[in-house]
């Protein structure tokens, strides 16, 4: 029995030593990973650390036997072990000024035949030969993800919009002289982080770090604005109970291009016309009702048509969005967008709501958060049912992002996603 215990102990120590040796070797290889020499934004994910730090939550110990979970596990296992792609300990993706809304990544191909077989099996409708002689293959995974590979490397492209930029991928694949190892990339000298997820910009304006655990993800970061903010921050006083979503922003829209584009689509106003320096949004847990008319025709015995109008009570989400008052904005905001919105100026604010009643007054209160978001997907409105939101609702996901003004133009970010 004693001898058996010694053998088990030796085997365990040997396994630990081999695992640690492999882990260390893979860590040392991180610096050799390629990115574009024109990179201006770097996003990295620590694959090994994520797996090791969350090993107790991985299959087979995790009790999740759903069909979707099994399919995702199978796909991930094939990608890591059977796809002929060298998956590094930390994966680096990059963006350039010419393609700000896209991220690219360059990985080595270990086995071309395995790589081709994986994509041909998983995405038979999206695979296509670009150059058979050079072995260049394109795989359209979906409208947001495009892949191109040859005998030595694979390049992937993830886009926020529709991903159709095959020409740029091909140019990048065929010009390896435009690549550089991550350790030699100018302006990104501190890319080897201890966090699971990192994002940084070459100009230093935004840096984010995230840590993932079994029940939550925590995010911290620093954001440098191009202009100073007033440290006397005031927001509209809002009902903090029974809300699914609360959001407000006091940061100029030219500092947040994505939000500016959303506002442009919603209002129809160009970014320079959006002079409002305040915006908030509330979505309540419980729906409200609106009256909607329905016109139908009935026919008598002589087939004479008579028009009948019916008034229907329709359940709609309870939404309030508020802007600092602006006359042009008041005229531009739509009165109906999926639902009817009632519009009214109250004090310094322009309120728009699906509710039938308005508050008697709009009171300001001080805040230390120039931008704030809180959302509880567990209470997300049932009428907004799409697969991704249904999954978040089923997992009871909650998220909070808050910003704090550190000095006139430096903002610190803190966020947490629980699930």
């Amino acid at each position: 029995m004693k001898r058996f215990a010694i053998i088990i102990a030796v085997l365990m120590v040997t396994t630990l030593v081999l695992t640690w040796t492999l882990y260390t070797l893979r860590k040392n290889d991180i610096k050799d990973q390629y990115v574009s020499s024109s990179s201006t934004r770097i996003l990295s994910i620590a694959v090994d650390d994520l797996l090791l730090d969350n090993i107790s939550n991985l299959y087979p110990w995790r009790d999740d036997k759903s069909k979707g979970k099994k399919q995702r596990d199978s796909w991930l296992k094939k990608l890591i072990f059977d796809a002929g792609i060298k998956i590094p300990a930390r994966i680096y993706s990059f963006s350039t000024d010419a393609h700000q809304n896209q991220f690219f990544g360059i990985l080595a191909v270990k086995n071309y035949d395995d790589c081709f077989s994986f994509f041909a099996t998983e995405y038979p409708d999206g695979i296509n030969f670009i150059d058979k002689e050079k072995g260049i293959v394109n795989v359209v995974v979906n409208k947001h993800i495009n892949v191109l590979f040859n005998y030595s490397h694979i390049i992937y492209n993830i886009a926020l919009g529709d991903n159709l930029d095959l020409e740029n991928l091909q140019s990048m694949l065929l010009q390896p002289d435009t690549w550089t190892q991550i350790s030699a990339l100018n302006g990104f000298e501190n890319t080897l982080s201890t966090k699971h997820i990192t994002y940084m910009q070459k100009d230093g304006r935004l840096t984010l770090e995230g840590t993932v655990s079994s029940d939550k993800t925590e995010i911290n970061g620093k954001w440098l604005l191009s202009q100073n903010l007033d440290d006397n921050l005031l927001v509209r006083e809002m009902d903090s109970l029974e809300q699914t979503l609360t959001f407000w922003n006091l940061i100029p829209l030219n500092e947040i291009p994505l939000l500016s584009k959303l506002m442009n689509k919603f209002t129809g106003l160009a970014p320079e016309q959006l002079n409002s320096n305040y915006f908030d949004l509330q979505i309540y847990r419980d729906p409200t009702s609106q009256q909607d008319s329905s016109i139908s025709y009935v026919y008598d015995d002589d087939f004479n048509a008579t028009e009948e109008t019916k008034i229907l009570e329709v359940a709609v989400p309870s939404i309030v969005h508020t802007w600092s008052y602006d006359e042009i904005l008041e005229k531009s905001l739509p009165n109906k967008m999926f639902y009817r919105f009632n519009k009214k100026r109250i004090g310094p604010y322009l309120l728009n709501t699906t509710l039938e009643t308005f508050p008697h007054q709009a009171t300001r209160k001080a805040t230390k958060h120039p931008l704030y978001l809180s959302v509880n997907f567990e209470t997300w409105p049932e009428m907004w049912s799409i697969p991704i939101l249904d999954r978040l609702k089923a997992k009871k996901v909650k998220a909070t992002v808050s910003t704090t003004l550190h000095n006139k133009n430096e903002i610190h970010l803190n966020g947490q996603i629980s699930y």
Side-chain angles (χ1 to χ4, degrees), residues 205-224:
R205 290 191 60 186
L206 182 61
T207 303
L208 296 172
E209 293 184 324
T211 303
V212 181
S213 62
S214 61
D215 58 351
K216 65 181 177 181
T217 296
E218 295 182 325
I219 301 170
N220 295 285
K222 184 176 71 172
W223 183 7
L224 298 178

Side-chain angles (χ1 to χ4, degrees), residues 236 238 247-249 278-282 320-323:
R236 181 176 67 91
M238 291 177 271
F247 171 80
W248 70 70
N249 175 54
Y278 175 80
F279 173 77
D280 71 47
L281 172 65
Q282 295 172 276
V320 179
H321 62 89
T322 307
W323 311 66

Side-chain angles (χ1 to χ4, degrees), residues 20-77:
W20 182 254
T21 301
L22 178 61
Y23 174 79
T24 303
L25 290 174
R26 285 176 55 79
K27 278 275 192 182
N28 291 333
D29 289 341
I30 289 176
K31 63 182 184 300
D32 298 330
Q33 191 174 158
Y34 285 108
V35 294
S36 170
S37 55
S38 301
S39 299
T40 54
R41 298 165 183 83
I42 295 290
L43 173 68
S44 70
I45 300 175
V47 179
D48 288 12
D49 289 342
L50 265 172
L51 293 174
L52 289 173
D53 292 344
N54 294 279
I55 195 167
S56 61
N57 304 299
L58 300 176
Y59 181 86
W61 298 278
R62 191 171 184 177
D63 186 21
D64 188 345
K65 306 297 183 181
S66 66
K67 183 179 179 180
K69 177 66 167 58
K70 288 181 179 179
Q71 289 176 339
R72 288 192 297 273
D73 282 351
S74 175
W75 181 90
L76 189 60
K77 179 183 176 183

Side-chain angles (χ1 to χ4, degrees), residues 328-395:
I328 296 177
L329 186 64
E330 182 179 19
K331 294 177 180 179
S332 300
L333 287 175
N335 295 320
K336 188 167 185 178
M337 192 172 188
F338 303 109
Y339 317 106
R340 187 181 71 253
F341 279 89
N342 302 303
K343 189 187 308 180
K344 186 177 182 180
R345 179 180 183 178
I346 302 179
Y349 299 112
L350 177 64
L351 270 71
N352 297 259
T353 177
T354 57
L355 303 172
E356 294 297 326
T357 59
F358 290 92
H360 295 297
Q361 61 182 1
T363 306
R364 289 178 169 180
K365 71 172 185 178
T367 180
K368 60 180 180 180
H369 307 302
L371 184 147
Y372 177 84
L373 169 68
S374 175
V375 57
N376 181 0
F377 286 101
E378 185 179 2
T379 59
W380 195 253
E382 295 288 347
M383 63 243 349
W384 288 344
S385 179
I386 59 175
I388 186 170
L389 293 177
D390 290 343
R391 288 196 292 271
L392 294 173
K393 188 180 183 73
K395 292 291 185 181

Side-chain angles (χ1 to χ4, degrees), residues 3-258:
R3 183 179 179 184
F4 179 74
I6 293 173
I7 293 174
I8 294 298
V10 171
L11 288 175
M12 290 181 63
V13 170
T14 303
T15 301
L16 288 173
V17 170
L18 290 175
T19 301
W20 182 254
T21 301
L22 178 61
Y23 174 79
T24 303
L25 290 174
R26 285 176 55 79
K27 278 275 192 182
N28 291 333
D29 289 341
I30 289 176
K31 63 182 184 300
D32 298 330
Q33 191 174 158
Y34 285 108
V35 294
S36 170
S37 55
S38 301
S39 299
T40 54
R41 298 165 183 83
I42 295 290
L43 173 68
S44 70
I45 300 175
V47 179
D48 288 12
D49 289 342
L50 265 172
L51 293 174
L52 289 173
D53 292 344
N54 294 279
I55 195 167
S56 61
N57 304 299
L58 300 176
Y59 181 86
W61 298 278
R62 191 171 184 177
D63 186 21
D64 188 345
K65 306 297 183 181
S66 66
K67 183 179 179 180
K69 177 66 167 58
K70 288 181 179 179
Q71 289 176 339
R72 288 192 297 273
D73 282 351
S74 175
W75 181 90
L76 189 60
K77 179 183 176 183
K78 290 177 183 177
L79 176 66
I80 294 174
F81 297 106
D82 304 326
I85 303 170
K86 184 178 180 181
I87 306 294
R90 178 178 284 269
I91 294 179
Y92 286 93
S93 301
F94 58 89
S95 180
T96 64
D97 281 339
H99 302 87
Q100 295 187 18
N101 296 322
Q102 301 182 41
F103 274 93
F104 303 87
I106 304 170
L107 298 173
V109 172
K110 294 188 298 183
N111 187 302
Y112 178 84
D113 292 337
D114 288 347
C115 186
F116 184 90
S117 177
F118 170 78
F119 285 108
T121 302
E122 297 294 325
Y123 307 101
D125 297 330
I127 193 166
N128 181 44
F129 263 110
I130 301 298
D131 189 326
K132 289 189 176 182
E133 183 177 343
K134 296 180 179 178
I136 301 176
V137 179
N138 174 229
V139 184
V140 179
V141 176
N142 55 47
K143 66 179 182 179
H144 300 292
I145 303 176
N146 207 354
V147 172
L148 198 69
F149 64 91
N150 59 12
Y151 293 113
S152 61
H153 288 90
I154 180 170
I155 296 182
Y156 59 86
N157 173 208
I158 303 173
L160 294 178
D162 292 351
N163 182 56
L164 302 173
D165 198 3
L166 177 59
E167 183 178 346
N168 184 54
L169 271 184
Q170 191 168 353
S171 174
M172 194 177 297
L173 182 66
L174 296 177
Q175 298 181 52
D177 57 313
T178 63
W179 308 350
T180 184
Q181 291 180 329
I182 188 67
S183 58
L185 183 61
N186 292 329
F188 294 95
E189 284 73 26
N190 299 311
T191 55
L192 187 55
S193 171
T194 58
K195 303 294 184 179
H196 293 149
I197 302 169
T198 64
Y199 170 83
M200 59 183 65
Q201 296 182 180
K202 188 175 183 178
D203 58 13
R205 290 191 60 186
L206 182 61
T207 303
L208 296 172
E209 293 184 324
T211 303
V212 181
S213 62
S214 61
D215 58 351
K216 65 181 177 181
T217 296
E218 295 182 325
I219 301 170
N220 295 285
K222 184 176 71 172
W223 183 7
L224 298 178
L225 304 180
S226 60
Q227 55 195 300
N228 293 340
L229 288 186
D230 187 350
D231 54 8
N232 183 27
L233 301 172
L234 298 172
V235 298
R236 181 176 67 91
E237 189 167 8
M238 291 177 271
D239 176 16
S240 59
L241 300 175
E242 304 301 322
Q243 289 192 29
T244 289
L245 183 146
T246 302
F247 171 80
W248 70 70
N249 175 54
L250 289 158
I251 299 172
L253 288 178
N254 61 350
E255 302 278 0
I256 317 173
L258 181 58

